[in-house]
Every structure is written in structure tokens, then in C-alpha cells.
Amino acid sequence: MQHDIRALAFDIFGTVVDWRTSIIREGQLLGARLGLVQDWAAFADAWRAGYQPAMQRVRSGELPWTHIDALHRGILDRLLAERGIALDEADAAHFNRVWHRLIPWPDSVAGLHRLKPRYTLATLSNGNLSLLVAMARHAGLPWDAVLSAELFRHYKPDPEVYLGAARLLDLAPQQLMLVAAHPSDLRAAAACGLRTAYVQRPLEHGPGAPPPAWRPGEFDIEVGDFGELASALA
Amino acid sequence: MQHDIRALAFDIFGTVVDWRTSIIREGQLLGARLGLVQDWAAFADAWRAGYQPAMQRVRSGELPWTHIDALHRGILDRLLAERGIALDEADAAHFNRVWHRLIPWPDSVAGLHRLKPRYTLATLSNGNLSLLVAMARHAGLPWDAVLSAELFRHYKPDPEVYLGAARLLDLAPQQLMLVAAHPSDLRAAAACGLRTAYVQRPLEHGPGAPPPAWRPGEFDIEVGDFGELASALA
């Protein structure tokens, strides 16, 4: 591929880290400690399902700017109440920060280390900056820059996020490539002039969940993991 | 020292990196290549001396928000004209980016690696984000977060910068410590509630230059280099 790509901006939840497995695991540990019987996979899916509607309330102006830690906590409190789970404040606050401790997909860290010598590596996530910084320290993610929707007070797929990242990195949009497991995110980035790399993560929503709809050839790069991404961009 | 410090925010120019030696060195290389006879130490000092007045023009509203790369270029173009130095655009643009390639003080990288396991390490510089990212890649500075005045559209010592850093890191001001070689920067941070670490850099302005005025005991930590800082915060 001919290109002048200087930096890669990574979507995080589902693209770099496996939120579902991480939440199931911490839910199981919490349940074992407190004697709770729960379907933690369903809990994880419900927590994640609350995310887009919560961001939409910010986008629409119904809520003032609210960062993801707070949106996650609102969803968590509702799920706990619906299920009759009583957690004390320390346990609830700790469980809410599971999003700071999400584990990378098995190929993520090695792939990023292969890409880092040649490209500036940035996050470009709807997660708040402190969440992304904590996750990087926990998971060993070697970012050069932690960029968040929080810096622009707009959530993806608003164009302010993609164009704001290019501006802060002092790049033209076509010098910046978004890496994401979500076609909708990539389409919004492409509409702003960014290059796009689609990484398929068929297990993001669990085994058997339908993959997102996309058309082969729609994105500049289409790969199965970060190792293939590093090879494609070598 | 009793404390609840969670993160360290570092001033960069003069505190982490030795701008003067770096500019002298690149000036000498440029001069040797182009046959220029110049006092590059005086050139470096003049370039740096233009920095505070240029930021003041932004603070006062005389200039709209303008990042440091552009301010540096304006000062550089004036210095070149005053000295009758003709550089082509590629050489001028490259020389202006010497601020992206500043070399760390000898203790900086090792000290940061000692501090990193225990504290979140962030920049907090008036330098623009892309400059700080390029510098970190060039010099091997292991930041967890690259924070810049650019994110707040205010230059230090405006309080928006110190308080904005604490907010993005999701910390109370007293959980964040500014590390700087400049008493004025530290005093402004302390006025916002941050903790302060003064690192003496007696060679910042060259041998024999008078040190800045300060009173021992004025700051929470007062050290001679980043190794002593790591020991004081162990």
C-alpha cells in the first residue's frame, strides 16, 4: 500500500482490549467472594449495551458533558438494582473501574511493539483520559499519546474527535489511520479524511454473536489481528 | 514525607531536557554544513528569551491561540533576519524542530524509570502536544500521559493548566505534584493546590548564569536531579 501514514489512532474497547471476558472474570471473582449467583456474561453484555444510549444523551445535550467513568457507574447502579445485588460503595467503585483493568486481546501488546518504531501510536477512545492511562499502565500498552473524546468534549463518531486527533498530532487527516473493530467508527473516520484499518474481533460480543456488517474492500486495511496489521504496515 | 501523591507532572524545557546544549549543538552542525560563523550559545539564549514575550502576546489576547512550534518559528525567523542568515525553507523548518529533538539531562531517563512503577508520569509543558510526543519518542521519555497547555488553550502559569491536568488525571490537586526547575512555575502550581518538587538545573542557562531566586523550604521537595527525586519519593 502506498501511503504517508505517520500515526495510528486506536479505538480501545473491543479493538485493543477484550471488555467482555474481563468483566465476566471480575464478576465471577466478585460473585465468589460475596456469594452472588449471576450470569456474568449477560451482565457484561447489558453493561456494554447501556454505553451507546448513555453517550447519546450527552451528544443530544440531554446531559452536560459527562465522562465514561460516570456513565459506566450510572449503568452499573441500574443493573445492580435491577438484579437485587447490594454492593457497598467500595465494591461498586472498584467494580466500576474494571474498565480501567480490561485485558488486551492476545495479539495486542506484541503487535503494538512491532508498530511503535515506525508509527506514533495513540489511543482514540470514548473512554476518559484517566481510564485510558490507568489501562495502559495495567496492561502494558505502549502509547505515545493518550487521546480521548474527553479532550474534545465530543464522543465518536462526532467528527470533532477524528479531526481533533489529527490537529493535536499536527498531521493532515490522511496521515492518520484509525484502527478499529467497528465499521461505524471507521466510516466516520474515513468521512473526515482519515485512513482506516479494520481489525476483525469476532469474539468481542462472545462466541456465536453475529459479526458487524461490512463490505470487503471498504477499508484501506482489513486484518484479523494486530500481527497482520503490523505486517500490512511494515 | 507523608503524602497521597498519585501522579507527577513534569515541566519539560529546562527541567527534563537541556534545550541550550541541544540548540548549540544543532546550530554548530548547521553552521559547519552551510559555512556560517555564529555564536550559537547567544543564538540559543536569544531564541529562548523570545519565548515568554511570545506566550504573553497569546495570554493578553493580542494573538489568538498559537502553539509553540509556530511561536518558535516566528522568533527563529526574526533571529535569522537580524543576523543575516539565509536558510531555505527545509533547513529553517528542520532547525525549528530542534525543540522536538532536545536531549534529556543525564539523570532524566533513569530517574523517570525509577519513578514510573509507583507514579503516573505526565508532561505538563507549554510545548504543543505533537512536539512533546516527538520529543518522547526521540529521547526515550516513558510518559504515561502527554499533557500540554495546548489542551487547555492557556499557557502556564495560568491556573487553567494546573487544574486542567488534575481534572484530566481525575485527581485532587494535592494528589498531583509538579516537578520543575523554575520557582515561578512551582509557585503557580502551589497556588492551585498541587504539591511541588523543585529540581535545581544550574546549567540551564549556561555555566555562570545566575540561578533563579528561591527560599529553601519553599517547596515540598527540593533536589539536585531526578535520581534524588526518585529517592525522595520512594
Side-chain angles (χ1 to χ4, degrees):
Chain A
M1 187 179 68
Q2 286 287 324
H3 69 74
D4 178 33
I5 296 163
R6 305 281 296 279
L8 307 177
F10 290 78
D11 174 62
I12 299 299
F13 302 130
T15 299
V16 176
V17 294
D18 175 4
W19 53 267
R20 190 172 190 271
T21 301
S22 305
I23 293 169
I24 293 170
R25 180 195 311 245
E26 290 214 17
Q28 290 168 337
L29 290 168
L30 183 71
R33 181 160 64 80
L34 300 181
L36 305 171
V37 177
Q38 277 295 322
D39 178 347
W40 291 107
F43 195 101
D45 292 337
W47 204 351
R48 182 65 174 170
Y51 177 74
Q52 286 296 344
M55 286 191 294
Q56 187 52 39
R57 293 176 65 199
V58 174
R59 272 194 214 95
S60 70
E62 179 190 338
L63 283 182
W65 177 259
T66 307
H67 70 24
I68 292 291
D69 276 341
L71 295 178
H72 276 150
R73 181 61 192 265
I75 304 162
L76 174 62
D77 287 345
R78 175 173 57 77
L79 294 179
L80 293 173
E82 287 171 1
R83 285 160 174 74
I85 303 173
L87 295 186
D88 65 25
E89 174 55 30
D91 279 339
H94 182 77
F95 195 31
N96 194 54
R97 285 194 303 274
V98 65
W99 297 91
H100 296 212
R101 297 183 296 269
L102 300 179
I103 53 182
W105 294 107
D107 50 276
S108 293
V109 173
L112 292 173
H113 279 285
R114 285 180 57 195
L115 289 159
K116 181 155 173 138
R118 180 150 171 193
Y119 301 96
T120 295
L121 304 183
T123 62
L124 193 60
S125 169
N126 284 334
N128 40 290
L129 190 129
S130 62
L131 178 159
L132 297 168
V133 167
M135 178 194 290
R137 288 176 59 85
H138 189 265
L141 304 171
W143 307 122
D144 294 302
V146 175
L147 302 183
S148 161
E150 184 180 20
L151 299 179
F152 314 111
R153 298 207 160 211
H154 280 271
Y155 281 120
K156 294 191 292 181
D158 286 357
E160 287 83 353
V161 184
Y162 309 102
L163 296 173
R167 175 176 53 75
L168 285 178
L169 295 169
D170 201 19
L171 297 176
Q174 68 271 19
Q175 295 176 305
L176 180 60
M177 172 172 266
L178 183 73
V179 181
H182 310 122
S184 58
D185 194 4
L186 295 165
R187 288 178 194 127
C192 292
L194 275 68
R195 309 298 294 267
T196 54
Y198 178 44
V199 182
Q200 296 181 59
R201 296 294 194 193
L203 295 180
E204 178 180 359
H205 293 278
W214 65 292
R215 178 177 52 76
E218 187 176 3
F219 305 112
D220 296 309
I221 290 177
E222 295 159 353
V223 291
D225 63 28
F226 281 16
E228 292 181 23
L229 179 68
S231 297
L233 284 168
Chain B
M1 190 177 68
Q2 285 288 322
H3 68 75
D4 179 34
I5 296 163
R6 306 280 296 279
L8 308 177
F10 289 78
D11 174 64
I12 299 299
F13 303 129
T15 298
V16 175
V17 294
D18 176 3
W19 54 268
R20 190 172 188 271
T21 301
S22 304
I23 293 169
I24 293 171
R25 179 196 311 246
E26 291 214 16
Q28 290 168 337
L29 290 167
L30 183 71
R33 181 161 64 79
L34 300 180
L36 305 170
V37 177
Q38 276 295 321
D39 177 347
W40 291 108
F43 195 101
D45 291 336
W47 204 351
R48 182 65 175 170
Y51 177 74
Q52 286 295 344
M55 287 191 294
Q56 188 51 40
R57 293 176 64 200
V58 175
R59 272 195 215 95
S60 70
E62 179 190 337
L63 284 182
W65 177 259
T66 307
H67 70 23
I68 292 291
D69 276 340
L71 296 178
H72 276 150
R73 181 62 191 266
I75 304 162
L76 174 62
D77 287 345
R78 174 172 58 77
L79 294 178
L80 293 173
E82 287 172 1
R83 285 160 175 73
I85 303 174
L87 295 186
D88 65 23
E89 174 55 28
D91 279 340
H94 182 77
F95 194 31
N96 195 54
R97 284 195 302 273
V98 64
W99 296 92
H100 296 210
R101 296 183 297 269
L102 300 179
I103 53 182
W105 294 106
D107 51 276
S108 293
V109 173
L112 292 173
H113 279 284
R114 284 180 59 195
L115 289 159
K116 180 155 173 140
R118 179 147 171 196
Y119 301 97
T120 295
L121 304 184
T123 63
L124 193 59
S125 169
N126 284 333
N128 41 290
L129 190 128
S130 62
L131 178 158
L132 296 168
V133 167
M135 178 194 289
R137 288 177 59 85
H138 190 264
L141 303 171
W143 306 123
D144 294 303
V146 175
L147 302 183
S148 161
E150 184 180 21
L151 299 178
F152 314 110
R153 298 208 159 210
H154 280 272
Y155 282 120
K156 292 190 295 181
D158 286 357
E160 287 84 352
V161 184
Y162 309 102
L163 295 173
R167 176 177 51 76
L168 285 178
L169 295 170
D170 200 19
L171 297 177
Q174 68 271 20
Q175 294 177 306
L176 180 60
M177 172 172 266
L178 182 73
V179 181
H182 310 123
S184 57
D185 194 3
L186 294 165
R187 288 177 193 129
C192 292
L194 275 68
R195 309 298 296 266
T196 54
Y198 177 44
V199 182
Q200 297 180 60
R201 295 296 194 192
L203 295 181
E204 177 180 358
H205 293 278
W214 63 293
R215 178 176 52 77
E218 187 176 3
F219 305 112
D220 295 310
I221 291 178
E222 295 159 353
V223 291
D225 63 29
F226 281 17
E228 291 181 22
L229 178 67
S231 296
L233 285 168

